[in-house]
Amino acid sequence: TSAVEIQAADEVTVVLADGSTNTIADSASYTDEAEGAASAAIDSKADLSITGGGALTVTGNHNDAINSSDGLAIAGGTLTIKAADDGLRGQDYVSITGGTVTVDAGGDALKSDNDTDETRGYVHVADGTLTLTAGDDGISASTDALVSGGTTTINAQGDGVHADAQLAIGGGTTTIAQSNEGLESKLILIAGGTTSVTSSDDAVNVSDGSGSGGMGGGGGNATSGLMLTITGGTLVIDSQGDGLDSNGSIEMSGGTVVVSGPTNSGNGALD
């Protein structure tokens, strides 16, 4: 089963002692694979925080590397994460406020997915240095995704950052070096920071997933409730699909946007 399993607690903090090097790994198959059983190298049923000045390498050979059924917070340390599926997963939230985090995941690199509480299921990157390599999304949230600081580099086979409800970038340096679609959500706000996106499809895609509304979706009418808002920051795009694609509306009142992309197959700088 899991190398570290937290079955019950109010909250748990793992402190990486200064100068220490720690390694945790699980096996590729578990004895108990029933629904609700532990499924990650570090598996917690409580809010889990990791901090300190040491180093931690976690390999999730079975499924996820670190999973919390509540929230997961990274506040310090040097973390090297490798996972068969998701790298860092907190069902209520994933919060990164410090440290150096490197993730190589077969699924999503950072993921929060609470389908029962609309106030949960969010990802917040406030500080730290993140290098995320993902077989699916770099950052995935079932509600909101917020980047307000830090330095984040993403190489993803899926979306660079995907949020079901709202995606906001207010600060920091975010580089999506590889993605299918770079930024995707129903509401996207670029208010600050420096963001660069390289995508094989649309770089910024405002969509509810229905495929309706907007010329790119095959319709001629905007879908209400979908909005791309740019009020500040710098956004540089290199896309093989549309640069800025909104199935609703686009409003820009500040900031700088540079789009490099094709002018064929129905694609363009703005859709």
Side-chain angles (χ1 to χ4, degrees), residues 46-57:
D47 287 325
L48 176 64
S49 300
I50 298 176
T51 188
L56 173 64
T57 298

Side-chain angles (χ1 to χ4, degrees), residues 115-262:
D115 297 327
T116 60
D117 186 344
E118 63 182 13
T119 66
R120 300 287 183 169
Y122 63 88
V123 176
H124 182 196
V125 177
D127 203 350
T129 301
L130 283 69
T131 303
L132 310 178
T133 302
D136 200 352
D137 298 340
I139 298 175
S140 177
S142 62
T143 54
D144 300 341
L146 170 63
V147 178
S148 59
T151 300
T152 302
T153 302
I154 298 173
N155 286 274
Q157 299 299 313
D159 297 337
V161 182
H162 178 97
D164 287 354
Q166 177 172 278
L167 190 166
I169 298 177
T173 300
T174 303
T175 302
I176 301 176
Q178 177 185 359
S179 65
N180 177 36
E181 293 188 329
L183 307 174
E184 183 173 52
S185 186
K186 295 177 181 177
L187 298 171
I188 297 179
L189 168 64
I190 309 295
T194 300
T195 305
S196 63
V197 178
T198 301
S199 64
S200 58
D201 198 351
D202 301 338
V204 177
N205 184 34
V206 176
S207 171
D208 60 3
S210 68
S212 63
M215 296 182 66
N221 298 317
T223 301
S224 62
L226 304 182
M227 172 70 80
L228 167 61
T229 305
I230 301 171
T231 63
T234 299
L235 176 61
V236 178
I237 287 170
D238 183 357
S239 64
Q240 295 183 37
D242 295 319
L244 304 180
D245 184 352
S246 176
N247 291 318
S249 302
I250 298 176
E251 180 178 287
M252 181 173 177
S253 59
T256 300
V257 176
V258 179
V259 178
S260 300

Side-chain angles (χ1 to χ4, degrees), residues 94-113:
V94 174
S95 172
I96 311 291
T97 59
T100 300
V101 180
T102 302
V103 179
D104 185 353
D108 301 325
L110 304 185
K111 182 175 186 176
S112 184
D113 55 341

Side-chain angles (χ1 to χ4, degrees), residues 39-66:
S39 62
I42 299 178
D43 198 282
S44 177
K45 296 284 193 298
D47 287 325
L48 176 64
S49 300
I50 298 176
T51 188
L56 173 64
T57 298
V58 181
T59 303
N61 292 300
H62 174 65
N63 189 33
D64 301 339
I66 302 177

